[in-house]
């Protein structure tokens, strides 16, 4: 259900008040620091991502609350240090959104999402305390697959991109040939390097065809787990151990799982 603006403000006020009390009266909450919370924050974000990919709205709501708690917690710690509080966080975000959307709050005219993204990168290079280079805003700690996608996105936003998706297909074919060459040469270092180039080119191809590779791979992971679990369950029903089954027998169960869970 939709709430009024006042109801939303009151709800946020209640959770801020609750956290203030917990910070004083709960031994666990009282001893938390930025460092101790960081691993939990990462876990909460991944749990939110899982709910999002499953389109599980009740859990999306729940996990968003957990992520919000962490935002408020870090803001509370900042307040205790005399550095910033949640109002500063919100104000900085609001100012940044207005500054980065001159096509909404200013006189800039855009006709497409692509133009918005190009302007976005140029603005971030200009703003005070912003990125000093085009790729400077890509966090070094990002997982490699997501990082590759963000690097390519940012480069494309300033015009460094393939003219058409077919060009990326050709690059994938080229990188596959180079992987094969290194495998034939039995060169471990070369295999790793070329395999990285191949994966990077596949990510690029996915981007050009409008596919987020992280989401695509996670859906495939879930599909594989579901089908492999079917093989395992059926083997138990047959009184067999997986290790005792032939690949052909497991493949037959795999195809059975595909028919059941398309």
């Amino acid at each position: 259900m939709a709430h009024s603006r006042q109801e939303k403000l009151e709800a946020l006020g209640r959770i801020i008040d609750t956290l203030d009390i917990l910070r004083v009266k709960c031994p666990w909450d009282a001893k938390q620091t930025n460092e101790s919370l960081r691993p939990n924050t990462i876990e909460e974000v991944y749990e939110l991502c899982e709910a999002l990919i499953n389109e599980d709205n009740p859990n999306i709501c729940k996990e968003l609350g957990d992520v919000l708690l962490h935002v408020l917690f870090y803001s509370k710690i900042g307040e205790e240090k005399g550095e910033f509080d949640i109002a500063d966080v919100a104000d900085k975000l609001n100012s940044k959104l207005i500054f980065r959307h001159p096509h909404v709050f200013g006189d800039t005219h855009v006709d497409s999402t692509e133009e918005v993204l190009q302007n976005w990168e140029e603005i971030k290079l200009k703003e005070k305390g912003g990125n000093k280079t085009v790729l400077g805003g890509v966090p070094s700690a990002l997982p490699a697959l997501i990082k590759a996608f963000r690097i390519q996105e940012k480069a494309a936003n300033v015009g460094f991109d393939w003219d058409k998706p077919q060009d990326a297909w050709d690059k994938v074919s080229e990188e596959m040939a180079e992987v094969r060459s290194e495998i034939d040469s039995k060169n471990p270092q070369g295999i790793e390097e070329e395999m990285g180039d191949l994966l990077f080119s596949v990510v690029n191809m996915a981007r050009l065809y409008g596919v987020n590779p992280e989401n695509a791979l996670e859906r495939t992971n879930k599909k594989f787990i579901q089908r492999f679990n079917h093989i395992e369950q059926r083997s138990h029903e047959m009184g067999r151990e997986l290790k005792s089954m032939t690949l052909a027998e497991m493949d037959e169960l795999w195809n059975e799982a595909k028919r059941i869970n398309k």
Side-chain angles (χ1 to χ4, degrees):
M1 61 176 290
H3 292 85
S4 68
R5 186 173 187 275
Q6 183 60 36
E7 288 173 325
K8 293 173 185 176
L9 291 173
E10 289 173 356
L12 286 171
R14 285 193 294 272
I15 185 58
I16 290 171
D17 290 343
T18 298
L19 181 58
D20 286 347
I21 293 169
L22 290 175
R23 187 66 171 162
V24 174
K25 296 188 175 182
C26 173
W28 186 89
D29 288 284
K31 73 175 185 179
Q32 297 310 306
T33 64
N34 286 341
E35 177 141 358
S36 69
L37 283 172
R38 191 178 71 86
N40 292 341
T41 305
I42 294 170
E43 181 178 341
E44 296 297 353
V45 171
Y46 274 107
E47 289 178 356
L48 172 59
C49 290
E50 182 176 0
L52 289 167
I53 203 166
N54 289 335
E55 298 182 354
D56 182 351
N57 287 320
N59 263 328
I60 291 173
C61 181
K62 171 183 173 294
E63 299 303 339
L64 280 171
D66 291 343
V67 172
L68 175 60
L69 171 60
H70 282 247
V71 172
L72 295 174
F73 219 135
Y74 291 120
S75 300
K76 180 63 178 176
I77 293 171
E79 180 181 345
E80 292 167 353
K81 293 179 177 179
E83 301 286 342
F84 60 87
D85 62 13
I86 189 62
D88 296 310
V89 172
D91 283 340
K92 284 182 181 295
L93 173 59
N94 189 55
S95 296
K96 181 168 67 175
L97 288 174
I98 292 172
F99 183 73
R100 290 187 181 179
H101 291 79
H103 54 286
V104 176
F105 300 104
D107 299 325
T108 302
H109 176 76
V110 295
D111 294 312
S112 67
T113 300
E114 289 72 22
E115 288 184 49
V116 172
L117 292 174
Q118 289 170 3
N119 288 341
W120 185 278
E121 295 301 335
E122 293 173 7
I123 290 168
K124 284 195 285 188
L125 288 172
K126 294 175 182 177
E127 67 186 2
K128 183 179 179 180
N131 303 330
K132 305 305 180 192
T133 64
V134 171
L135 301 182
V138 181
S140 59
L142 276 179
L145 182 66
I146 300 175
K147 187 189 295 185
F149 185 73
R150 292 294 292 131
I151 287 170
Q152 294 164 7
E153 266 192 332
K154 285 181 172 291
N157 286 340
V158 295
F160 190 74
D161 202 5
W162 298 106
D163 290 330
K164 53 187 184 298
Q166 180 59 44
D167 296 334
W169 266 108
D170 296 338
K171 184 62 175 175
V172 170
S173 298
E174 175 189 324
E175 296 297 349
M176 286 180 67
E178 291 179 4
V179 169
R180 290 193 188 101
S181 176
E182 293 297 337
I183 290 174
D184 291 341
S185 300
K186 299 180 179 178
N187 176 8
Q189 183 176 348
I191 293 171
E192 180 180 3
E193 181 176 344
E194 296 302 337
M195 195 69 75
D197 290 348
L198 173 60
L199 291 170
F200 193 85
S201 66
V202 169
V203 170
N204 219 354
M205 183 179 67
R207 178 183 61 82
L208 287 165
Y209 281 96
V211 174
N212 184 299
E214 172 70 18
N215 292 343
L217 183 57
E218 180 55 21
R219 290 185 189 280
T220 296
N221 288 340
K222 291 174 71 66
K223 182 168 60 178
F224 184 93
I225 290 170
Q226 186 179 46
R227 291 175 179 175
F228 192 83
N229 285 345
H230 176 82
I231 295 175
E232 192 170 21
Q233 180 182 343
R234 290 284 285 116
S235 70
H236 291 325
E237 292 172 358
M238 297 162 63
R240 301 280 302 278
E241 292 290 334
L242 279 178
K243 289 184 178 180
S244 72
M245 299 182 74
T246 66
L247 181 57
E249 289 174 321
M250 285 192 282
D251 199 44
E252 184 178 343
L253 294 177
W254 176 269
N255 289 328
E256 181 181 291
K258 288 173 65 176
R259 290 191 296 270
I260 296 172
N261 301 302
K262 291 184 178 181

